[in-house]
């Protein structure tokens, strides 16, 4: 009986967004203080990456995000890099080492972890690739060297 109760209770817990779910909506501030809304992204393929300044894999991944944004600078791709640091100065210190940030890459701040919680990202970094209608199609937990090539394959599939 206890196992049945635990199974029922665990099925009631929300684990965040996943493949084939609608991407959770949000409004956040970018590093320049401008508001960015997920609702305004419809019609584009959106690559969302959650990262933190203290995350070693994020440090390896960030240059690859920059290359991705640069590769798709003239297309219907939006790259959102959402920082979850509690202190803005930690994110700023990280970003100073990453200059220049491509124009097609938007850095958002989520110091209260509201956005990352709504997506249910349980590892840093975690990336979500969202189709033009706002549906999550791919999720990447962590970062592996082969991920950038896989991102491109998945994005190209969504652009067709």
């Amino acid at each position: 009986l206890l196992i049945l109760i635990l199974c029922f209770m665990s099925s009631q817990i929300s684990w965040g967004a996943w493949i084939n779910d609608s991407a959770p909506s949000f409004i956040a501030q970018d590093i320049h203080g401008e508001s960015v809304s997920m609702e305004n992204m419809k019609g584009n393929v959106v690559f969302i990456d959650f990262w933190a300044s203290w995350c070693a894999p994020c440090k390896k991944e960030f240059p690859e995000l920059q290359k991705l944004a640069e590769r798709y600078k003239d297309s219907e791709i939006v790259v959102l890099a959402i920082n979850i640091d509690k202190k803005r100065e930690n994110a700023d210190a990280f970003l100073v080492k990453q200059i220049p940030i491509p124009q097609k890459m938007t850095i958002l701040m989520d110091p209260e972890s509201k956005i990352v919680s709504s997506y249910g990202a349980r590892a840093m970094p975690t990336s979500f690739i969202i189709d033009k209608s706002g549906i999550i199609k791919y999720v990447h937990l962590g970062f592996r060297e082969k991920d950038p090539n896989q991102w491109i394959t998945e994005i190209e599939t969504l652009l067709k």
Side-chain angles (χ1 to χ4, degrees):
L1 180 62
L2 179 59
I3 292 172
L4 286 174
I5 291 170
L6 289 174
C7 288
F8 176 75
M9 289 175 55
S10 68
S11 70
Q12 302 302 310
I13 297 171
S14 173
W15 295 104
W18 204 247
I19 295 170
N20 293 323
D21 288 346
S22 292
S25 186
F26 62 82
I27 297 174
Q29 299 294 311
D30 70 11
I31 57 173
H32 307 293
E34 300 292 322
S35 288
V36 174
S37 169
M38 185 62 189
E39 290 298 315
N40 293 341
M41 303 295 159
K42 294 251 169 105
N44 294 292
V45 172
V46 181
F47 185 99
I48 295 179
D49 184 73
F50 291 99
W51 65 280
S53 64
W54 45 261
C55 163
C58 298
K59 292 174 184 175
K60 290 181 181 177
E61 179 194 54
F62 209 86
E64 298 300 329
L65 292 177
Q66 291 175 288
K67 289 177 191 173
L68 184 73
E70 189 62 30
R71 177 186 181 111
Y72 290 105
K73 67 182 176 188
D74 297 323
S75 66
E76 301 168 313
I77 306 294
V78 177
V79 178
L80 301 177
I82 303 177
N83 177 268
I84 65 163
D85 284 313
K86 302 283 182 230
K87 294 181 180 177
R88 170 71 189 260
E89 58 265 20
N90 294 337
D92 288 342
F94 177 94
L95 291 171
V96 164
K97 298 173 187 171
Q98 308 301 322
I99 299 299
I101 303 293
Q103 283 188 311
K104 278 290 268 201
M105 184 172 175
T106 303
I107 312 293
L108 301 177
M109 307 306 293
D110 187 22
E112 296 173 8
S113 297
K114 291 180 181 178
I115 303 169
V116 72
S117 295
S118 71
Y119 278 77
R122 294 177 287 283
M124 284 299 117
T126 296
S127 302
F128 295 82
I129 303 177
I130 302 159
D131 72 9
K132 292 179 182 185
S133 62
I135 304 299
I136 297 168
K137 292 298 182 181
Y138 304 98
V139 178
H140 296 269
L141 303 174
F143 177 71
R144 297 172 308 220
E145 299 296 321
K146 66 180 183 175
D147 283 348
N149 289 332
Q150 192 169 355
W151 299 339
I152 291 167
T153 299
E154 294 165 353
I155 288 169
E156 293 294 330
T157 299
L158 298 177
L159 287 175
K160 292 179 183 176

